[in-house]
Amino acid sequence: MTERFLILCREPNEAAENLRMAFSGLGAVELVSDTPTDQAVWYPDEAMQGYRHLSGWSQACRPVTAWDRAWMHLNLTSGKNPAPVWLVEDDVAGNPEDFSRVADFSGGVDADLSALEFRLMEEDPGWPHWHVAADRFTHPARSFNPLCRLNARLVGMVLEFRRCHGRFVFMEALFASLVAEHGLSYLDWQKEPETASLFDSFRFRPEIGEAGKGIHHPVKDPELHRAICSGLGKRESS
């Protein structure tokens, strides 16, 4: 079955297009936008009841983002047999060869959740967002998801959670907690010899300032993003 790649962006931009090209040989690629456009998937805010807060639940977080629109899109297009889906924020950067290595390895394992930093609450009690999962799951867990893969079973379970509860919760808690609660499988790329070296420059912050080997996050500089995704490994000279 063809895997789906949903690239999440505020609006169609060069970084999203870089990623579309990088993933184009690996499966079906679509952009999901926060702003109205005919160049990407978009749904208006007023249609998003029950599809909110995947990016967090605080005044600092917008209630509807490309994350939520992506899951509306999956619900409308997956049918009864959803394909594995990759969710990729547009400040992730990597070259096609490295993305292919990760995709091939992950598809072979086919864990329910493939991501980074999978932790149970008792392993990481200081994480500040446990409250969104602690009253809904017996075994809260979290993962770091700017780049992640959910297999068909977990895609269905996330959509079923929304149907049953009428809403989502922060996706860094939701995906991993569903895995832990139901005894599903997970793949943490940073712990696997086949992929660990590709994620040395993948973190929450600060921004990536120069290109190295592997897959990077967060990359906000358009020139640097283009250089990494093109495989140049350094800034292009002006």
Side-chain angles (χ1 to χ4, degrees), residues 121 129-141 173 177:
M121 186 166 69
H129 306 293
W130 288 122
H131 63 281
V132 305
D135 61 347
R136 293 175 175 84
F137 297 99
T138 305
H139 303 290
S177 294

Side-chain angles (χ1 to χ4, degrees), residues 94-200:
N95 65 59
E97 180 181 353
D98 288 339
F99 281 134
S100 181
R101 285 177 59 191
V102 174
D104 288 347
F105 179 68
S106 303
V109 174
D110 196 30
D112 292 285
L113 175 65
S114 301
L116 298 156
E117 299 180 16
F118 186 96
R119 304 285 190 276
L120 296 172
M121 186 166 69
E122 55 264 32
E123 296 174 318
D124 188 15
W127 192 59
H129 306 293
W130 288 122
H131 63 281
V132 305
D135 61 347
R136 293 175 175 84
F137 297 99
T138 305
H139 303 290
R142 62 100 167 171
S143 57
F144 188 44
N145 303 331
L147 172 71
C148 60
R149 177 190 187 272
L150 288 73
N151 75 0
R153 175 164 60 175
L154 187 55
V155 170
M157 292 179 73
V158 172
L159 292 172
E160 180 65 9
F161 179 94
R162 190 212 67 83
R163 189 189 69 80
C164 292
H165 294 273
R167 52 161 291 183
F168 288 120
V169 295
F170 184 28
M171 49 80 186
E172 290 195 2
L174 177 58
F175 300 167
S177 294
L178 284 170
V179 167
E181 192 81 354
H182 296 281
L184 305 184
S185 59
Y186 67 88
L187 173 64
D188 188 330
W189 291 310
Q190 288 174 321
K191 295 182 178 179
E192 297 295 328
E194 293 85 350
T195 53
S197 65
L198 296 175
F199 290 95
D200 289 342

